[in-house]
Structure formats: C-alpha cells, structure tokens
C-alpha cells in the first residue's frame, strides 16, 4: 500500500543544498560501470505531504528517495519523490515519457547524467541493475537502443505472451529461458523458494554457478545451479541498500517535526558515507568505517571552535582612543598585541564576533 500524492515542488532551503550535494557527488564522474537503481526511505513520522507508507519495509513511514549507486555504496545521484509526475528531465523527453510508467521515468532520470557525459562509444561498458518495481520489457528495449546493458527482476504480469513451464512443484534450481531475437532480451525464470523471473540484455544462463540453499531432505544446505544473469544481479544489485545501511549507522540524536531538517541530515549522512567509501577504495591497508570519518569530522570542528574560544589576547596598558573611534567615544588603556589594535571591552567583543 502506498499513499497517493500530487506533484509538489521542493522548497529552496532543501533544493539548493540538494543540488549542491548532487553536483559534488558527480565531480568525479561515474567511475563504476556496474550501477544499481533502487528506492530507499528516510524515517520520518511528522506531518508532510511528502510522507509515504510502504508496507513490509524496514522503514515504513518516511520520505522516499530514488538513488543510483555502485556496488560499494557510493551514491552518484538521488532525488526526493515529490509525486508521480515529478521529474527533472528535459522538456523534449518529458513529452515522450508522459504516458510511461513511473519506474521507467525514474530510471531515465537517474541515468540522465550518465547519458549526457559519457560518449556513445563508451556507453556500452555500463551495466544497469534494478528490481521488479522499475522493470518492463519496453524499458529494456529502450536502454538497449541507446547502448546500455540492463538486468533486473520482473513481475509476471508485465511480460505477456510467455508461457513458463514451471510451477510450485518443480525441483529447486530448475530454469526456463527464452530469447527474443528482435529485441535481444533474455527472459529467465528459476525455481527457488518461489518462481523468480529476470530480464537481461547482457547475460543468459551460461556459465552456470552454484548457490547454497537449505534442503529438508538432506537436513542441511545443498548447492543448486544458478544462472549467470542471477549471479550478476545478486553481486551488483545491493548498492543502494548498502548506502542506506551506512547512513542508518549515523542516525542523529536530534529529533525534529520538520521534514526539511530530516532531509538535510540525510545529505550530511550521504556525504560522510561517500567519503568513507572513497577512502576505502583508494587505501588498501586499513578499512575505514563510517563512524571513524564522522568522528574525525566532528573532532576537527570541535577543536577549531575550542581554539577560537580559548585564544587569549595579550594586553598592554596604554591610553589611546578605541579602534572604533568613529562610533565609540570611550578612551581605553588596553592594547591587544595579537590584533595590534586598541579596543574597549564592548568593541572588543563586537569585533571578534
């Protein structure tokens, strides 16, 4: 169950820092070729039109985000869900996608930066992963035409004209595959705990790998065959969830009833998470945790504040007009050596604020 909401515009006090953060995340370009697109939630129980309810999620109430990340959890772009008709695509593309599903528009919105900065010759190196909320055969065909490879799970009611030779009594690990020559899309179904279907324009069944599952007959875990497309999906799909897990370990102790404060804190959490991920990618010696980066940033600003407050100015007794003599008529006998100026007690505080 999801609440219905009309499209609204974000206020400037959130849109401005959000655009700054997005621009900062994209300053290194998109350096990973395996990208995952997914949704995540910011916990919030206050009152706002943007609040969503998602049944069965770890965070049921809050603000919904669309995000694109790499495998390690570095976020390249994200946006707050402001309604079904909200997007930041150019007007020409908006006219063509007005009747498309929400998931298709979100995928193209998150890929807009990639499509405009990467040359068509190198665009085929990138592989996009998303779940069944975004997947549809038309989206895979469109991404293949522009040169992008894609893999994602799909719901059975979105694929028409395909008869699957699987049922709930099929043996675990049984596969069904169908290839469409015109579109170049592979439709793969596997019997796991239930039937799972997947669409891909980059991978098929071979080479087969193995996955461990619990067997009632063997009273333990056994290995079952796993198609290559499912193996890729399991390895590279969890980037957004990884980023969300890192941000949840930096929950602030301040509670607010204003959703703008919650969104601002998420931007700060995302910045610290990206810093930690980049640090671990560059340095191979020691793994830096998210809390280490947060403590280092906090201690730096606290030390600067303490040094600023504890700095003592040396005084020399002298009789002369105050530095601010145009507005202050007092005579002073205090000369501050560090500042090399004469101040009265009132002007000294005003000057150092």
């Amino acid at each position: 169950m999801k609440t219905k909401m009309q499209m609204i515009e974000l206020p400037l006090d959130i849109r401005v820092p959000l655009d700054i953060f997005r621009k900062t995340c994209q300053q290194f370009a998109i350096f990973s070729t395996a990208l995952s697109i997914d949704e995540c939630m910011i916990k919030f129980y206050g009152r706002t039109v943007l609040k969503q309810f998602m049944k069965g999620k770890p965070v049921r109430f809050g603000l919904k985000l669309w995000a694109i990340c790499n495998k390690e959890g570095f976020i390249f772009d994200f946006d707050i869900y402001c309604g079904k008709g909200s997007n930041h695509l150019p007007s020409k593309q908006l006219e063509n996608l007005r009747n498309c599903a929400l998931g298709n528009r979100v995928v193209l919105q998150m890929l807009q930066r990639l499509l405009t900065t990467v040359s068509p010759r190198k665009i085929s190196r990138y592989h996009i992963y998303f779940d069944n909320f975004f997947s549809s055969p038309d989206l895979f065909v469109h991404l293949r035409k522009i040169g992008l490879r894609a893999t994602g799970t799909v719901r059975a009611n979105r694929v028409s004209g395909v008869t699957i030779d699987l049922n709930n009594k099929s043996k675990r690990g049984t596969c069904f595959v169908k290839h469409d020559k015109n579109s170049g899309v592979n439709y793969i179904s596997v019997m796991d705990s239930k039937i799972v279907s997947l669409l891909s324009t980059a991978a098929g069944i071979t080479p087969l790998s193995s996955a461990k599952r619990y067997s009632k007959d063997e009273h333990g875990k056994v290995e079952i065959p796993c198609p290559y497309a499912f193996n890729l999906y399991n390895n590279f799909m969890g980037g957004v969830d990884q980023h969300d897990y890192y941000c949840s370990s930096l929950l602030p102790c301040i509670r607010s009833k204003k959703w703008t404060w919650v969104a601002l804190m998420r931007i700060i959490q995302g910045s610290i998470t990206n810093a930690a991920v980049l640090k671990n990618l560059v340095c191979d010696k020691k793994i830096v945790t998210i809390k280490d980066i947060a403590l280092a940033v906090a201690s730096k600003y606290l030390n600067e504040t303490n040094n600023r407050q504890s700095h003592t100015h040396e005084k020399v007794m002298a009789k002369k007009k105050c530095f601010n003599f145009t507005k202050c008529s007092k005579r002073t006998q205090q000369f501050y050596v560090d500042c090399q100026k004469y101040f009265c007690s009132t002007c000294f505080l005003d000057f150092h604020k």
Side-chain angles (χ1 to χ4, degrees):
M1 176 181 177
K2 299 181 181 179
T3 58
K4 296 182 179 180
M5 56 181 292
Q6 298 179 354
M7 182 187 67
I8 64 173
E9 293 293 335
L10 290 177
L12 291 179
D13 54 351
I14 287 299
R15 175 56 64 185
V16 172
L18 178 62
D19 292 339
I20 294 174
F21 175 70
R22 294 172 63 185
K23 184 178 180 180
T24 305
C25 294
Q26 297 167 1
Q27 66 178 341
F28 302 107
I30 301 179
F31 52 82
S32 297
T33 56
L35 304 172
S36 61
I37 300 175
D38 204 353
E39 58 187 7
C40 55
M41 295 282 287
I42 306 176
K43 185 185 296 185
F44 182 69
Y45 296 100
R47 293 183 179 181
T48 177
V49 186
L50 299 176
K51 187 171 68 173
Q52 294 284 297
F53 170 71
M54 299 183 66
K55 185 179 180 180
K57 295 289 185 178
V59 180
R60 295 183 300 165
F61 293 93
L63 307 178
K64 183 190 288 188
L65 303 178
W66 312 116
I68 177 170
C69 299
N70 64 354
K71 178 183 177 182
E72 289 78 15
F74 185 92
I75 188 168
F76 294 100
D77 194 5
F78 84 99
D79 197 13
I80 300 175
Y81 177 55
C82 299
K84 189 175 181 180
S86 62
N87 53 63
H88 300 284
L89 293 175
S91 58
K92 294 183 179 179
Q93 296 187 11
L94 180 60
E95 295 178 358
N96 299 331
L97 299 172
R98 191 176 300 277
N99 298 325
C100 294
L102 173 63
N104 297 356
R105 293 203 303 269
V106 170
V107 171
L108 295 177
Q109 174 186 341
M110 293 292 103
L111 294 176
Q112 187 64 27
R113 174 71 178 179
L114 176 67
L115 297 175
T116 54
T117 56
V118 180
S119 62
R121 185 180 301 176
K122 299 180 180 179
I123 199 71
S124 59
R125 301 178 183 178
Y126 292 87
H127 195 160
I128 314 301
Y129 300 86
F130 38 81
D131 60 10
N132 54 20
F133 177 80
F134 307 94
S135 296
S136 67
D138 296 335
L139 178 60
F140 281 86
V141 173
H142 177 73
L143 293 178
R144 188 173 184 273
K145 287 182 179 179
I146 61 180
L148 281 172
R149 299 177 296 166
T151 300
T153 55
V154 65
R155 300 173 184 176
N157 57 1
R158 295 187 181 179
V159 181
S160 59
V162 179
T163 304
I164 304 176
D165 297 335
L166 297 176
N167 52 46
N168 295 330
K169 296 182 179 180
S170 300
K171 185 180 179 181
R172 177 172 281 188
T174 306
C175 300
F176 171 81
V177 61
K178 184 175 180 181
H179 175 72
D180 189 357
K181 294 183 179 180
N182 297 327
S183 62
V185 179
N186 296 325
Y187 179 74
I188 307 171
S189 294
V190 176
M191 182 61 195
D192 201 352
S193 57
K194 61 180 181 179
I195 299 176
V196 183
S197 300
L198 181 144
L199 292 175
S200 179
T201 56
I205 290 182
T206 56
L208 283 172
S209 59
S210 60
K212 292 184 178 181
R213 295 293 186 271
Y214 181 80
S215 176
K216 294 182 179 180
D217 298 334
E218 300 292 337
H219 299 285
K221 290 187 177 182
V222 296
E223 292 186 353
I224 62 172
C226 180
Y228 181 60
F230 279 88
N231 188 23
L232 288 178
Y233 181 83
N234 294 332
N235 289 334
F236 297 103
M237 180 54 199
V240 178
D241 295 335
Q242 188 74 12
H243 180 85
D244 195 21
Y245 170 75
Y246 288 152
C247 291
S248 63
S249 62
L250 295 173
L251 290 177
C253 58
I254 303 174
R255 298 183 63 182
S256 175
K257 294 183 179 180
K258 293 185 178 181
W259 69 271
T260 53
W261 174 259
V262 177
L264 182 61
M265 290 304 302
R266 184 54 177 238
I267 294 175
I268 298 175
Q269 293 170 346
S271 303
I272 297 175
T273 299
N274 280 359
V277 173
L278 283 179
K279 181 72 173 179
N280 292 328
L281 288 176
V282 174
C283 301
D284 299 332
K285 297 181 180 180
K286 183 180 179 181
I287 298 177
V288 180
T289 62
I290 308 299
K291 292 184 178 180
D292 294 338
I293 299 293
L295 291 174
V297 173
S299 61
K300 179 180 182 300
Y301 283 104
L302 288 175
N303 291 333
E304 290 182 357
T305 304
N306 294 333
N307 293 335
R308 196 179 304 118
Q309 293 178 353
S310 62
H311 184 68
T312 58
H313 291 71
E314 184 180 355
K315 303 177 184 179
V316 179
M317 301 303 293
K319 191 175 181 180
K320 197 174 182 181
K321 286 185 178 181
C322 179
F323 174 77
N324 192 18
F325 64 90
T326 57
K327 298 181 181 180
C328 179
S329 60
K330 296 180 180 179
R331 302 280 291 180
T332 181
Q333 294 181 353
Q334 297 176 350
F335 175 75
Y336 293 86
V337 179
D338 295 342
C339 301
Q340 290 294 312
K341 292 179 178 64
Y342 293 87
F343 289 107
C344 66
S345 59
T346 305
C347 295
F348 175 80
L349 296 176
D350 294 339
F351 180 81
H352 288 82
K353 284 182 180 179

